[in-house]
Amino acid sequence: MTLRDIASFRPATPGNGMEPGGWAVVGLPANFVAAASVEVVSGTLLGQPADVRFTPVGYRWVHGDGAEVEASTPGAIWAALGQREFSETATSHAYEASGVYTVELAVVLRAEYRFAGSPWRSIAGTLTVAGEPQRVLVGEVDTVLTQDDCNADPAGPGC
């Protein structure tokens, strides 16, 4: 059995998420997260009812600025990792210049098949599936130190 034999079995398009949602700050990590999990697709293979199981084994983000990040996990949001916003993660990327970038995600899948509930059998090779491209607006920010909440005390130091 080869990958060509299971061409009619199509895995779902992986989700391509990030935080903050759709924007980033120059010089600070933006956190990228793929939504892809083990998936079983049923159909007909060699004239017999069959299942094909797709298992994610690798993730690659191309960030539109010449950088790529490869990971063995899909990543996770900062809160799930117990990290503060703009913390570096295994799937994060920091842009060096302002602009609008397109981030492309590719998920590498391993495939297995079975007929009528028989044991799973591996298929040699891997399959790469692209997620939807994501537009990211990258900008610069200035920070200002204030003594208190400027909405509550607009005349306060730094407001």
Side-chain angles (χ1 to χ4, degrees), residues 59-99:
Y59 305 84
R60 182 179 66 246
W61 288 266
V62 177
H63 292 285
D65 63 350
E68 292 184 17
V69 171
E70 292 192 27
S72 59
T73 67
I77 62 171
W78 284 309
L81 295 170
Q83 295 183 338
R84 296 179 66 180
E85 292 178 330
F86 302 105
S87 296
E88 190 172 333
T89 69
T91 59
S92 66
H93 173 64
Y95 287 92
E96 295 180 10
S98 297

Side-chain angles (χ1 to χ4, degrees), residues 60-154:
R60 182 179 66 246
W61 288 266
V62 177
H63 292 285
D65 63 350
E68 292 184 17
V69 171
E70 292 192 27
S72 59
T73 67
I77 62 171
W78 284 309
L81 295 170
Q83 295 183 338
R84 296 179 66 180
E85 292 178 330
F86 302 105
S87 296
E88 190 172 333
T89 69
T91 59
S92 66
H93 173 64
Y95 287 92
E96 295 180 10
S98 297
V100 177
Y101 299 91
T102 300
V103 178
E104 297 176 357
L105 168 66
V107 177
V108 179
L109 303 170
R110 182 183 72 231
E112 301 167 286
Y113 72 97
R114 70 178 178 188
F115 293 105
S118 66
W120 290 104
R121 295 181 182 194
S122 295
I123 298 173
T126 57
L127 173 69
T128 301
V129 178
E132 293 292 326
Q134 181 171 202
R135 182 177 171 264
V136 179
L137 174 63
V138 179
E140 296 184 32
V141 296
D142 290 323
T143 58
V144 177
L145 297 177
T146 64
Q147 181 174 332
D148 205 356
D149 179 355
C150 288
N151 291 322
D153 184 11

